[in-house]
Amino acid sequence: MKKILVTGAFGQIGSELIPALYKEYGRDNVVSMGHSNISPDFDGILEKADSRDKESVSQIIKKHDIGTIYHLVSLLSAKGEVDPSLTWDINMNGLKNILDLGVENNLKIFWPSSIAAFGPTTPREETPQNTVLEPTTMYGVTKSAGEGLCRYYNKKYGLDVRSIRYPGIISWKTPPGGGTTDYAVGIFYDGIKTGKYECFVGPDTMLPMMYIDDAVNATVDLMKADSKNIKNWSSYNIAAVSFKASDLELELKKYIPNLVVTYKPDHRQKIADSWPKSINDEEAKRDWGWKYEYDLPKITKVMVESLQKVLDKNF
Ligand code: SER
């Protein structure tokens, strides 16, 4: 088979998608591309390159006979606001290169969008698939523009580029990485390590969230779906659970009864308030059978058990 290239291989999604791709397609068929946070014990096929450098990526595609790219590189919402120009450069110019290389080499491509593509003018409850996209962060601007770019390449060149609007993703292999939804990861890290967490959004903040295994399954399933079933060539809404920050605190207290959570909303509150509380994902269910497995109690259990092992902590 032609091989798979994963860019952003060592980020939150890449580090968990890659083992799933190994399982599905075999280790020898997956090439990981990145240039930072490469774990010293990584033993897969590695290429060090930056997706903004089109020539390097082109050489990697030829060298490994690549047929599919999962293009995961992205600066996230909160981090993206520190340097909006850099965020545009990484998120958009990297994507444009990958799409052009997709057309030149007849590739199949996955690219993640996000709930950040929405903004304060979008209906916040049961956010529909087709709705207003007026984001307020540069990260969101690149997600909404990226969706347009993917749709354009599909219509203009017939490129098979598929996308999902991920909600906040909760995972334990990589530490929180500059996203607004990362309080739902940080509370586990700090809570388990220190018994305390200072939350950067208020207790009533409600956002759509998902456990990483569900996000990985959605990605693999969307890419496996027969193209005649794909009706949306922009980006699919997918949903799992929506909960308030205080709901998460209560659930985690079942494992860490003495946990102390203080709420100190900062600039990220405004970002959180501009995003949906819940998502309508009927089209993903209908077109490629999307279904989630992890609710809040299940997410909390697996996060605590996994992080306890990694951080070597017992209560
Ligand atoms: N998790 C992302 C963020 O908070 C949203 O896609 O930036």
Side-chain angles (χ1 to χ4, degrees), residues 90-228:
I90 291 176
N91 293 10
M92 290 310 292
N93 294 331
L95 173 61
K96 171 94 173 23
N97 284 343
I98 298 293
L99 295 177
D100 285 330
L101 288 165
V103 174
E104 286 162 28
N105 296 281
N106 196 21
L107 308 177
K108 183 169 171 180
I109 290 166
F110 175 83
W111 173 77
S113 185
S114 155
I115 52 166
F118 302 120
T121 49
T122 307
R124 291 192 72 204
E125 315 239 347
E126 277 290 300
T127 300
Q129 175 67 54
N130 295 309
T131 184
V132 187
L133 299 181
E134 292 180 338
T136 53
T137 61
M138 181 52 97
Y139 172 70
V141 168
T142 66
K143 290 302 182 189
S144 123
E147 288 188 16
L149 204 58
C150 290
R151 189 171 59 243
Y152 177 82
Y153 272 68
N154 174 263
K155 296 278 171 289
K156 175 102 179 162
Y157 304 109
L159 183 68
D160 187 339
V161 49
R162 306 180 184 192
S163 176
I164 282 172
R165 290 175 180 146
Y166 290 129
I169 293 175
I170 302 177
S171 67
W172 54 272
K173 276 196 188 157
T174 54
T180 302
T181 57
D182 279 345
Y183 61 88
V185 177
I187 192 170
F188 288 102
Y189 269 84
D190 288 12
I192 291 170
K193 270 198 270 190
T194 67
K196 289 189 214 131
Y197 183 60
E198 187 177 282
C199 187
F200 57 77
V201 295
D204 292 330
T205 306
M206 180 183 270
L207 286 171
M209 300 278 182
M210 179 176 288
Y211 186 55
I212 184 74
D213 286 18
D214 279 330
V216 164
N217 286 341
T219 308
V220 172
D221 287 352
L222 172 63
M223 289 298 273
K224 282 202 309 200
D226 193 326
S227 67
K228 72 175 188 309

